[in-house]
Amino acid sequence: MPLNMTNTPLEKVLEVRHLYKAFGDNAVLKDFSMDLYRRENVVVLGKSGSGKSVLIKCIIGLLRPDQGQINVLGKPVLDLTPAELDQLRVRVGFLFQSNALYDSMSVRENLEFPLRRHGRDKSREEVNTLVVEALTNVGLAHTVDMMPAELSGGMRKRIALARTLILKPEIMLYDEPTTGLDPITSREIVQLILKVQDIYNTSSIVISHDMSCVRQLANRVIMLVDGKCHADGPYESLMQNPDPIVQGFFH
Amino acid sequence: MKLQFPSYRLILEELGGLARFTGQFFRNWAAPRMEIQEFFRQCYMIGYRSVGLVAITGFILGLVMTIQSRPTMARFGAESWIPSMVAISIIREIGPVITALICAGKIGSGIGAELGSMKVTEQIDAMEVSGTNPFKYLVVTRVWATTLMVPVLVCCSDTIAIWGSYLAVNMKNETSLALFSQQVVDSLSFSDVLPAFIKTFFFGFAIGIVGCYKGYTSSKGTEGVGLAANSAVVMASLLVFVLDLLAAQVTDTLGLN
Ligand SMILES: Nc1ncnc2c1ncn2[C@@H]1O[C@H](COP(=O)(O)OP(=O)(O)OP(=O)(O)O)[C@@H](O)[C@H]1O
Ligand SMILES: [Mg+2]
């Protein structure tokens, strides 16, 4: 268990226990378990198709696992009513692998969308302030009236991040935030993720197979192999791990 | 490539899926008040974007029907019956069905492709994660909008078709608009107009629900989007004919002829 400087155990914000998920005959997750502590960045590593996206979709309740328990911020995700799940989802942000920007809406409308449901008590000015603040955080305040189709891939990723952050989540789930971006842009995204963690005190699960991004972000690395947690530890210790599968990722 | 014929199993699965989806619609039919804005936006998009197309086809329909039926009517010396005949056939059958087919092509495929691409690019998942029920926001509003807008479009199309018919009548022998209108109104009875009007709501509902069903449940991958749009049109057109048959049977049984 990671300890902070005063050697008191950190608060556990997310717990996954014995998760199983199969699509027909394709068993994707087989007895997967993991934990996440407050203010921690955990990177989940795994081959393409190993079920990383499936894992975090189970955590946010978009997919229903066949077996297992998921606790997020002390709430059992699988036993919540739809209304309780909505309440929990305000506190958990999700950055989709494909960005999932609403392409029929402008950037402003995209950012206002989460506030439709969870910010109904806010006035027009408050909403506008939030939108501008979220865009400024990602350095794209000038795009507020553009359409997603007019933006580059990296800008879209940052807009998607801004849209997720507008509700100030306590846990962030990033699905391959740097894949498909050039090294400079992906470094910017990494800096942004670190900045977000700093400003909002978030804990994050980051899915990635971009090793430079992993090195900069990870407090801890979890390797998802064959539907199980194959290795779990800080970046440096995994680097020294003689296991051939682990070495396959690091070299 | 092996030639594949649709098996009974596939057809039944498809109908079962559509029935389940329709059931889900009726469980959610009363979208919360905050979706009203999206509903009006959809009405505008669906109605306004199709009215030109529907008007042109309606106009040509009235014109052509009149021109085509004239020789036969003349042979029986019944040229003066042309306005009545054309009006009755347009209002009762051809106007609603042709307009519904055009809407199936334009609106059904549009909804199928739009929801299909939203599904493929995880936008529907993103809505769910941000606390909006995507079924209510996307499906319920669209189905209500088509259910209410298709009848409006049919009314437009019928009116313009009759006007087109007047032009065609006028090409051969001068008729006053007043006389023509009089003939049209006299020939139409309540039992011509009402059943035809009612069935257009069902056509609209079918077009909306099939488009949404195909888009909302489309499989992942870009080809899923094309498939969703394409099969939405095929299924909606087919349903329009089936509903038309049912409507004819029902009005006949009720003696509303
Ligand atoms: N909705 C679904 N229906 C059926 N199978 C699915 C579904 N979603 C994922 N799968 C299957 O689950 C497996 C894992 O998919 P997943 O998207 O989690 O991979 P991933 O680890 O995120 O890969 P990548 O790095 O390429 O994103 C794949 O074999 C995929 O075919
Ligand atoms: Mg993935």
Side-chain angles (χ1 to χ4, degrees):
Chain A
M1 184 180 294
L3 301 176
N4 65 8
M5 289 200 257
T6 53
N7 270 7
T8 48
L10 290 171
E11 180 193 353
K12 197 188 271 184
V13 289
L14 187 146
E15 184 180 58
V16 175
R17 283 289 169 273
H18 309 298
L19 208 61
Y20 287 81
K21 175 76 188 170
F23 296 99
D25 302 335
N26 178 11
V28 178
L29 296 177
K30 293 172 261 182
D31 196 13
F32 181 86
S33 302
M34 72 172 281
D35 295 316
L36 179 72
Y37 296 89
R38 193 166 288 287
R39 294 219 47 171
E40 187 186 30
N41 283 336
V42 166
V43 173
V44 176
L45 268 178
K47 280 207 307 246
S48 189
S50 58
K52 302 176 301 284
S53 300
V54 169
L55 167 68
I56 57 171
K57 281 183 182 166
C58 286
I59 291 176
I60 193 99
L62 279 174
L63 286 173
R64 202 171 170 82
D66 304 328
Q67 255 186 68
Q69 281 112 43
I70 302 171
N71 263 294
V72 177
L73 296 164
K75 302 262 185 354
V77 173
L78 302 177
D79 305 328
L80 297 180
T81 64
E84 290 170 328
L85 193 56
D86 267 356
Q87 283 313 310
L88 182 62
R89 280 170 175 167
V90 187
R91 303 166 68 192
V92 183
F94 194 115
L95 183 68
F96 283 87
Q97 189 166 0
S98 56
N99 299 333
L101 291 179
Y102 309 126
D103 41 32
S104 61
M105 301 181 198
S106 71
V107 168
R108 178 191 297 281
E109 288 164 327
N110 262 286
L111 268 76
E112 283 172 356
F113 199 88
L115 298 171
R116 271 167 41 93
R117 173 76 170 71
H118 297 298
R120 264 185 290 178
D121 45 337
K122 294 192 171 53
S123 69
R124 278 271 4 124
E125 291 83 59
E126 283 175 305
V127 168
N128 192 46
T129 319
L130 279 175
V131 168
V132 172
E133 181 196 318
L135 281 177
T136 313
N137 268 339
V138 298
L140 286 175
H142 60 285
T143 62
V144 65
D145 291 317
M146 291 166 102
M147 297 301 282
E150 301 171 72
L151 305 171
S152 73
M155 287 159 101
R156 266 181 244 171
K157 189 67 85 186
R158 284 192 276 168
I159 299 287
L161 186 54
R163 182 179 70 182
T164 313
L165 293 175
I166 203 157
L167 293 173
K168 308 207 163 57
E170 295 162 51
I171 299 179
M172 277 295 305
L173 308 172
Y174 298 94
D175 196 346
E176 308 203 6
T178 60
T179 304
L181 300 177
D182 65 90
I184 299 170
T185 316
S186 76
R187 208 170 308 139
E188 277 170 20
I189 299 274
V190 168
Q191 292 309 323
L192 213 54
I193 292 175
L194 291 171
K195 181 173 135 194
V196 164
Q197 189 197 16
D198 233 37
I199 303 178
Y200 299 119
N201 270 324
T202 51
S203 329
S204 331
I205 298 181
V206 185
I207 289 174
S208 181
H209 26 225
D210 171 356
M211 287 323 281
S212 81
C213 149
V214 176
R215 193 180 57 243
Q216 293 172 69
L217 278 176
N219 300 123
R220 194 151 57 89
V221 178
I222 288 178
M223 292 198 51
L224 173 55
V225 178
D226 272 341
K228 280 193 202 50
C229 174
H230 185 79
D232 180 348
Y235 185 85
E236 289 74 23
S237 83
L238 286 202
M239 206 138 131
Q240 254 95 71
N241 193 325
D243 185 296
I245 299 177
V246 178
Q247 286 307 307
F249 270 95
F250 284 79
H251 298 289
Chain B
M1 209 176 80
K2 216 175 84 189
L3 256 182
Q4 284 200 336
F5 293 97
S7 65
Y8 283 111
R9 219 191 109 127
L10 264 175
I11 295 172
L12 285 180
E13 268 176 16
E14 194 73 330
L15 286 178
L18 183 62
R20 269 233 309 269
F21 194 77
T22 311
Q24 200 180 348
F25 171 80
F26 282 111
R27 277 195 303 281
N28 291 290
W29 67 275
R33 243 172 301 136
M34 54 192 244
E35 316 296 10
I36 204 86
Q37 200 187 345
E38 173 68 9
F39 165 73
F40 282 119
R41 203 175 71 88
Q42 286 304 325
C43 282
Y44 173 78
M45 303 270 268
I46 287 168
Y48 182 76
R49 292 244 185 107
S50 313
V51 75
L53 187 66
V54 160
I56 292 171
T57 46
F59 178 73
I60 294 175
L61 202 65
L63 201 74
V64 169
M65 269 192 59
T66 309
I67 294 171
Q68 295 271 39
S69 57
R70 180 178 290 120
T72 316
M73 297 297 266
R75 214 176 318 141
F76 295 111
E79 267 182 297
S80 61
W81 283 93
I82 289 179
S84 314
M85 195 216 73
V86 171
I88 290 180
S89 38
I90 283 178
I91 300 273
R92 285 187 67 130
E93 184 63 29
I94 300 182
V97 170
I98 297 280
T99 311
L101 288 179
I102 288 172
C103 290
K106 178 148 173 70
I107 302 171
S109 68
I111 294 179
E114 189 188 9
L115 295 197
S117 71
M118 290 185 78
K119 170 88 177 185
V120 169
T121 55
E122 300 182 310
Q123 291 175 47
I124 292 182
D125 284 344
M127 283 187 178
E128 190 165 346
V129 170
S130 60
T132 293
N133 181 332
F135 194 88
K136 286 183 179 164
Y137 182 78
L138 296 171
V139 175
V140 174
T141 53
R142 278 170 177 74
V143 173
W144 275 120
T146 52
T147 308
L148 297 181
M149 291 321 282
V150 168
V152 173
L153 290 171
V154 169
C155 289
C156 291
S157 163
D158 284 358
T159 313
I160 293 171
I162 287 174
W163 190 68
S165 167
Y166 168 71
L167 280 190
V169 168
N170 224 3
M171 283 195 283
K172 267 279 160 51
N173 27 22
E174 282 287 320
T175 327
S176 74
L177 186 57
L179 180 63
F180 180 86
S181 313
Q182 190 62 47
Q183 274 179 299
V184 168
V185 171
D186 282 349
S187 64
L188 290 173
S189 67
F190 184 66
S191 62
D192 292 319
V193 179
L194 190 72
F197 186 59
I198 290 176
K199 73 180 173 190
T200 57
F201 286 94
F202 288 91
F203 290 168
F205 179 79
I207 292 167
I209 200 95
V210 168
C212 289
Y213 166 64
K214 281 297 173 185
Y216 203 78
T217 59
S218 71
S219 58
K220 298 257 164 179
T222 0
E223 77 273 36
V225 179
L227 209 62
N230 182 278
S231 51
V233 177
V234 174
M235 202 163 164
S237 310
L238 211 61
L239 259 183
V240 165
F241 280 112
V242 172
L243 286 173
D244 194 44
L245 176 69
L246 285 179
Q249 286 296 328
V250 169
T251 45
D252 198 41
T253 316
L254 294 179
L256 283 171
N257 291 311

